[in-house]
Amino acid sequence: GENVEQHPSTLSVQEGDSAVIKCTYSDSASNYFPWYKQELGKRPQLIIDIRSNVGEKKDQRIAVTLNKTAKHFSLHITETQPEDSAVYFCAAHTGGFKTIFGAGTRLFVKA
Amino acid sequence: DAMVIQNPRYQVTQFGKPVTLSCSQTLNHNVMYWYQQKSSQAPKLLFHYYDKDFNNEADTPDNFQSRRPNTSFCFLDIRSPGLGDAAMYLCATSRKTTGTEQFFGPGTRLTVL
């Protein structure tokens, strides 16, 4: 069935370092790939997204890359700050009406 | 501010006692979703409405039902809650079903005693 795998499940970095989270998806018809950040006890919020006709998108310290051939997309956070600490979920919108979420990555940024 | 509102934020019920969670939105979005999120896991889609069209996920238990009486409101009914239904329930909305951001409510944390 449709699936999104996300790695790593936990990531710890030093403040100022970069963090990379990787996802792969199974449905080749997937065309939209959002990333959500969920702080402890709060709602998931969209931080960046990318569509299947684009290979890379950047918004300040956050960037997302997409490799459609490999069915792989990644989130890159540069110059990490303690407030970046949260759970990050990747997701893929399939050819139908479905959003499949990855299992999440818990990011710790140590000051 | 336009937003997605969920009530109550915390709900305690007894095993087998029906409970209803509510969600409202001021975004005038066509699509409303209900997700179940257990600790440290990804949100799991239970069902969604596109306008009045109801779409149930294949693995959503019959114990879970939903109603959408109008564009703004959507309800999640759990007919006979079990201990395994304790979770955070997230409502979300989007303008379309594909290719657009989902806006999440703050969630209702359900405890089953």
Side-chain angles (χ1 to χ4, degrees), chain A residues 19-45:
Chain A
V20 180
I21 302 170
K22 299 181 179 183
C23 290
T24 58
Y25 59 98
S26 60
D27 184 358
S28 57
S30 295
N31 54 19
Y32 175 66
F33 307 90
W35 285 87
Y36 289 88
K37 175 184 179 182
Q38 187 173 26
E39 297 179 44
L40 189 63
K42 296 192 176 180
R43 72 191 79 189
Q45 291 192 288

Short mmCIF file of all heavy atoms in Angstrom, two decimals, chain A residues 19-45:
data_model
loop_
_atom_site.label_atom_id
_atom_site.label_comp_id
_atom_site.label_asym_id
_atom_site.label_seq_id
_atom_site.Cartn_x
_atom_site.Cartn_y
_atom_site.Cartn_z
N ALA A 19 20.74 20.25 10.19
CA ALA A 19 19.97 19.02 10.43
C ALA A 19 19.32 18.61 9.11
O ALA A 19 18.83 19.46 8.36
CB ALA A 19 18.88 19.25 11.47
N VAL A 20 19.36 17.32 8.84
CA VAL A 20 18.77 16.78 7.61
C VAL A 20 17.85 15.62 7.97
O VAL A 20 18.24 14.71 8.70
CB VAL A 20 19.84 16.29 6.61
CG1 VAL A 20 19.17 15.74 5.35
CG2 VAL A 20 20.80 17.41 6.27
N ILE A 21 16.63 15.68 7.46
CA ILE A 21 15.65 14.61 7.67
C ILE A 21 15.23 14.11 6.29
O ILE A 21 14.96 14.91 5.39
CB ILE A 21 14.42 15.13 8.44
CG1 ILE A 21 14.86 15.73 9.79
CG2 ILE A 21 13.41 14.01 8.66
CD1 ILE A 21 13.75 16.47 10.52
N LYS A 22 15.17 12.79 6.16
CA LYS A 22 14.93 12.19 4.84
C LYS A 22 13.65 11.37 4.83
O LYS A 22 13.35 10.67 5.80
CB LYS A 22 16.11 11.32 4.45
CG LYS A 22 17.42 12.09 4.35
CD LYS A 22 18.57 11.19 3.93
CE LYS A 22 19.85 12.00 3.82
NZ LYS A 22 20.99 11.17 3.36
N CYS A 23 12.95 11.43 3.71
CA CYS A 23 11.73 10.65 3.53
C CYS A 23 11.71 10.01 2.15
O CYS A 23 12.21 10.59 1.19
CB CYS A 23 10.49 11.53 3.70
SG CYS A 23 10.23 12.07 5.40
N THR A 24 11.13 8.83 2.09
CA THR A 24 10.85 8.19 0.80
C THR A 24 9.37 7.84 0.75
O THR A 24 8.75 7.58 1.77
CB THR A 24 11.69 6.90 0.62
OG1 THR A 24 11.40 6.02 1.72
CG2 THR A 24 13.18 7.21 0.62
N TYR A 25 8.84 7.85 -0.47
CA TYR A 25 7.42 7.56 -0.64
C TYR A 25 7.26 6.47 -1.68
O TYR A 25 8.15 6.22 -2.49
CB TYR A 25 6.64 8.82 -1.03
CG TYR A 25 7.09 9.49 -2.31
CD1 TYR A 25 6.44 9.26 -3.51
CD2 TYR A 25 8.16 10.38 -2.30
CE1 TYR A 25 6.84 9.88 -4.67
CE2 TYR A 25 8.57 11.01 -3.46
CZ TYR A 25 7.90 10.76 -4.65
OH TYR A 25 8.31 11.37 -5.81
N SER A 26 6.10 5.82 -1.64
CA SER A 26 5.92 4.66 -2.51
C SER A 26 5.03 4.95 -3.73
O SER A 26 5.20 4.31 -4.77
CB SER A 26 5.31 3.50 -1.71
OG SER A 26 4.06 3.86 -1.16
N ASP A 27 4.11 5.89 -3.61
CA ASP A 27 3.16 6.14 -4.70
C ASP A 27 3.76 7.12 -5.70
O ASP A 27 3.92 8.31 -5.41
CB ASP A 27 1.85 6.69 -4.13
CG ASP A 27 0.79 6.89 -5.19
OD1 ASP A 27 1.05 6.65 -6.39
OD2 ASP A 27 -0.33 7.31 -4.83
N SER A 28 4.08 6.64 -6.87
CA SER A 28 4.72 7.49 -7.88
C SER A 28 3.81 8.60 -8.37
O SER A 28 4.26 9.55 -8.99
CB SER A 28 5.20 6.65 -9.06
OG SER A 28 4.11 5.93 -9.60
N ALA A 29 2.50 8.50 -8.07
CA ALA A 29 1.56 9.56 -8.46
C ALA A 29 1.52 10.70 -7.43
O ALA A 29 0.82 11.69 -7.65
CB ALA A 29 0.16 8.98 -8.62
N SER A 30 2.25 10.58 -6.36
CA SER A 30 2.28 11.65 -5.35
C SER A 30 2.81 12.93 -5.98
O SER A 30 3.78 12.90 -6.75
CB SER A 30 3.17 11.25 -4.17
OG SER A 30 2.61 10.14 -3.49
N ASN A 31 2.16 14.06 -5.65
CA ASN A 31 2.51 15.29 -6.34
C ASN A 31 2.72 16.49 -5.43
O ASN A 31 3.02 17.60 -5.89
CB ASN A 31 1.41 15.63 -7.36
CG ASN A 31 0.03 15.67 -6.73
OD1 ASN A 31 -0.09 15.80 -5.52
ND2 ASN A 31 -1.01 15.54 -7.54
N TYR A 32 2.57 16.31 -4.13
CA TYR A 32 2.71 17.43 -3.21
C TYR A 32 3.30 16.89 -1.91
O TYR A 32 2.83 15.87 -1.40
CB TYR A 32 1.34 18.06 -2.98
CG TYR A 32 1.31 19.16 -1.93
CD1 TYR A 32 1.99 20.36 -2.14
CD2 TYR A 32 0.58 19.01 -0.77
CE1 TYR A 32 1.94 21.37 -1.19
CE2 TYR A 32 0.52 20.00 0.18
CZ TYR A 32 1.21 21.19 -0.03
OH TYR A 32 1.16 22.18 0.92
N PHE A 33 4.32 17.59 -1.40
CA PHE A 33 5.08 17.06 -0.26
C PHE A 33 5.26 18.16 0.78
O PHE A 33 6.17 18.98 0.70
CB PHE A 33 6.45 16.54 -0.76
CG PHE A 33 6.31 15.56 -1.88
CD1 PHE A 33 6.31 15.98 -3.21
CD2 PHE A 33 6.17 14.21 -1.62
CE1 PHE A 33 6.17 15.08 -4.25
CE2 PHE A 33 6.04 13.29 -2.65
CZ PHE A 33 6.03 13.73 -3.97
N PRO A 34 4.39 18.20 1.76
CA PRO A 34 4.52 19.20 2.83
C PRO A 34 5.35 18.68 4.01
O PRO A 34 5.45 17.46 4.22
CB PRO A 34 3.06 19.41 3.26
CG PRO A 34 2.39 18.11 2.99
CD PRO A 34 3.12 17.46 1.84
N TRP A 35 5.92 19.58 4.73
CA TRP A 35 6.60 19.27 5.99
C TRP A 35 5.91 20.05 7.11
O TRP A 35 5.69 21.25 7.00
CB TRP A 35 8.08 19.69 5.93
CG TRP A 35 8.92 18.78 5.10
CD1 TRP A 35 9.14 18.87 3.75
CD2 TRP A 35 9.68 17.66 5.55
NE1 TRP A 35 9.98 17.86 3.34
CE2 TRP A 35 10.34 17.11 4.43
CE3 TRP A 35 9.89 17.07 6.81
CZ2 TRP A 35 11.18 15.99 4.52
CZ3 TRP A 35 10.73 15.96 6.89
CH2 TRP A 35 11.36 15.43 5.75
N TYR A 36 5.60 19.33 8.20
CA TYR A 36 4.93 19.94 9.33
C TYR A 36 5.84 19.86 10.56
O TYR A 36 6.53 18.85 10.77
CB TYR A 36 3.61 19.22 9.64
CG TYR A 36 2.54 19.46 8.61
CD1 TYR A 36 2.42 18.65 7.49
CD2 TYR A 36 1.63 20.51 8.75
CE1 TYR A 36 1.44 18.86 6.53
CE2 TYR A 36 0.63 20.73 7.81
CZ TYR A 36 0.56 19.91 6.70
OH TYR A 36 -0.43 20.13 5.76
N LYS A 37 5.78 20.91 11.35
CA LYS A 37 6.53 20.97 12.61
C LYS A 37 5.51 20.92 13.74
O LYS A 37 4.52 21.66 13.72
CB LYS A 37 7.33 22.27 12.68
CG LYS A 37 8.05 22.51 14.00
CD LYS A 37 8.74 23.88 13.96
CE LYS A 37 9.47 24.17 15.27
NZ LYS A 37 10.09 25.51 15.27
N GLN A 38 5.75 20.05 14.72
CA GLN A 38 4.85 19.96 15.85
C GLN A 38 5.65 20.12 17.14
O GLN A 38 6.43 19.23 17.51
CB GLN A 38 4.08 18.63 15.86
CG GLN A 38 3.00 18.56 16.94
CD GLN A 38 2.13 17.32 16.85
OE1 GLN A 38 2.55 16.28 16.34
NE2 GLN A 38 0.90 17.40 17.34
N GLU A 39 5.47 21.25 17.79
CA GLU A 39 6.11 21.47 19.07
C GLU A 39 5.30 20.75 20.15
O GLU A 39 4.12 20.43 19.96
CB GLU A 39 6.20 22.96 19.36
CG GLU A 39 7.09 23.69 18.35
CD GLU A 39 7.17 25.17 18.61
OE1 GLU A 39 7.32 25.57 19.78
OE2 GLU A 39 7.07 25.94 17.65
N LEU A 40 5.94 20.49 21.26
CA LEU A 40 5.35 19.69 22.33
C LEU A 40 4.00 20.27 22.76
O LEU A 40 3.91 21.44 23.12
CB LEU A 40 6.31 19.61 23.51
CG LEU A 40 5.92 18.64 24.62
CD1 LEU A 40 5.90 17.22 24.09
CD2 LEU A 40 6.87 18.76 25.80
N GLY A 41 2.96 19.46 22.67
CA GLY A 41 1.63 19.87 23.11
C GLY A 41 0.91 20.83 22.17
O GLY A 41 -0.15 21.35 22.50
N LYS A 42 1.48 21.04 20.98
CA LYS A 42 0.87 21.98 20.05
C LYS A 42 0.44 21.29 18.76
O LYS A 42 0.72 20.12 18.54
CB LYS A 42 1.84 23.12 19.75
CG LYS A 42 2.16 23.96 20.98
CD LYS A 42 2.89 25.24 20.61
CE LYS A 42 3.11 26.10 21.85
NZ LYS A 42 3.83 27.36 21.52
N ARG A 43 -0.22 22.04 17.91
CA ARG A 43 -0.72 21.47 16.66
C ARG A 43 0.40 21.41 15.62
O ARG A 43 1.33 22.21 15.65
CB ARG A 43 -1.86 22.34 16.12
CG ARG A 43 -1.40 23.69 15.56
CD ARG A 43 -2.57 24.61 15.30
NE ARG A 43 -3.05 25.24 16.51
CZ ARG A 43 -4.18 25.95 16.57
NH1 ARG A 43 -4.94 26.09 15.52
NH2 ARG A 43 -4.55 26.50 17.71
N PRO A 44 0.31 20.48 14.68
CA PRO A 44 1.25 20.49 13.55
C PRO A 44 1.02 21.75 12.71
O PRO A 44 -0.12 22.16 12.48
CB PRO A 44 0.86 19.23 12.75
CG PRO A 44 0.06 18.40 13.69
CD PRO A 44 -0.63 19.34 14.61
N GLN A 45 2.12 22.35 12.27
CA GLN A 45 2.03 23.53 11.42
C GLN A 45 2.95 23.36 10.23
O GLN A 45 4.10 22.90 10.38
CB GLN A 45 2.37 24.80 12.20
CG GLN A 45 1.33 25.16 13.25
CD GLN A 45 1.51 26.54 13.82
OE1 GLN A 45 2.45 26.76 14.57
NE2 GLN A 45 0.64 27.46 13.47
#
